[in-house]
């Protein structure tokens, strides 16, 4: 298979990076994401996982991908896919109770931009993610934008993914 690349952007900040899809390790997840592109939504900075930003989307795959290429310790540049029931996330503790409701499913596409991440949630325990992509260009700039997002806030910022 030919290598496939996407652009990962913090739109308002004008920061972009390039990521390769890990089709050999997470083929079903990569196919689901690729077929759904372009995607963009409000960005959030993680509270518990540490150096992570993410956006939430309605389910877009015909069926949720299995846990392929899983991790609970993502490294800088990892793009991860999570699927959650709305009842898992629909709480003010996570900051997006207005958008996520019980009885719904939400897809979380995340970018990890620095080391020392641990996918352990105080409410539910370990939360393995599917590593479906790796940023290969522009990670340093994205990390600077992510740190700025942490310090100054995420309001009005969009995390977007599109085909290259």
């Amino acid at each position: 298979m030919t290598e496939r690349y996407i652009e990962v952007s913090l739109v308002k900040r004008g920061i972009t990076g390039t990521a390769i899809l890990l089709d050999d390790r997470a083929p079903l997840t990569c196919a689901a994401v690729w077929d759904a592109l372009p995607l963009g939504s409000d960005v959030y900075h993680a509270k518990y996982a540490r150096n992570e930003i993410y956006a939430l989307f309605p389910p877009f795959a015909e069926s949720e991908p299995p846990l392929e290429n899983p991790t609970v310790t993502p490294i800088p540049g990892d793009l991860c896919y999570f699927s959650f029931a709305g009842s898992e996330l629909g709480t003010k503790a996570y900051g997006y109770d207005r958008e996520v409701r019980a009885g719904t499913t939400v897809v979380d596409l995340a970018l990890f931009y620095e080391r020392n991440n641990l996918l352990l949630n105080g409410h539910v325990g370990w939360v393995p993610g599917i590593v479906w992509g790796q940023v290969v260009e522009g990670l340093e700039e994205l990390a600077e934008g992510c740190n700025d997002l942490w310090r100054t806030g995420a309001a009005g910022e969009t995390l977007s993914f599109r085909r290259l």
Side-chain angles (χ1 to χ4, degrees), residues 130-149:
I130 300 169
V131 183
W132 60 273
Q134 179 68 43
V135 175
V136 294
E137 185 177 301
L139 182 59
E140 186 174 323
E141 293 83 2
L142 282 166
E144 288 176 18
C146 293
N147 277 313
D148 181 61
L149 196 143

Side-chain angles (χ1 to χ4, degrees), residues 4-22 33-34 37-41 43-44 52-55 57 76-80 109-113 132-146 149 157-164:
R4 297 188 290 179
Y5 294 88
I6 62 168
E7 179 182 272
V8 180
S9 300
L10 288 170
V11 176
K12 182 178 173 183
R13 286 169 171 78
I15 301 170
T16 63
T18 301
I20 187 169
L21 271 63
L22 302 177
V33 172
W34 184 261
L37 295 177
L39 292 166
S41 189
V43 67
Y44 297 92
E52 171 196 7
I53 62 167
Y54 59 94
F57 302 94
D78 276 353
L79 297 177
C80 289
L109 295 182
L111 163 65
F112 292 85
Y113 62 90
W132 60 273
Q134 179 68 43
V135 175
V136 294
E137 185 177 301
L139 182 59
E140 186 174 323
E141 293 83 2
L142 282 166
E144 288 176 18
C146 293
L149 196 143
E157 182 61 89
T158 300
L159 177 61
S160 79
F161 304 87
R162 72 174 185 89
R163 295 179 186 184
L164 285 180

Side-chain angles (χ1 to χ4, degrees), residues 58-141:
F60 49 77
E62 277 189 37
S63 62
E64 284 303 309
L67 190 58
E68 49 185 6
N69 199 31
T71 190
V72 291
T73 55
I75 63 172
D78 276 353
L79 297 177
C80 289
Y81 178 108
F82 304 90
S83 179
F84 297 105
S87 59
E88 291 176 281
L89 299 180
T91 169
K92 290 181 181 182
Y94 297 104
Y96 36 75
D97 56 299
R98 293 169 287 116
E99 300 168 22
V100 181
R101 307 243 186 304
T104 63
T105 300
V106 64
V107 171
D108 170 332
L109 295 182
L111 163 65
F112 292 85
Y113 62 90
E114 186 50 79
R115 298 180 49 197
N116 299 320
N117 304 294
L118 188 61
L119 300 179
L120 180 60
N121 178 296
H123 293 115
V124 297
W126 295 105
V127 183
I130 300 169
V131 183
W132 60 273
Q134 179 68 43
V135 175
V136 294
E137 185 177 301
L139 182 59
E140 186 174 323
E141 293 83 2

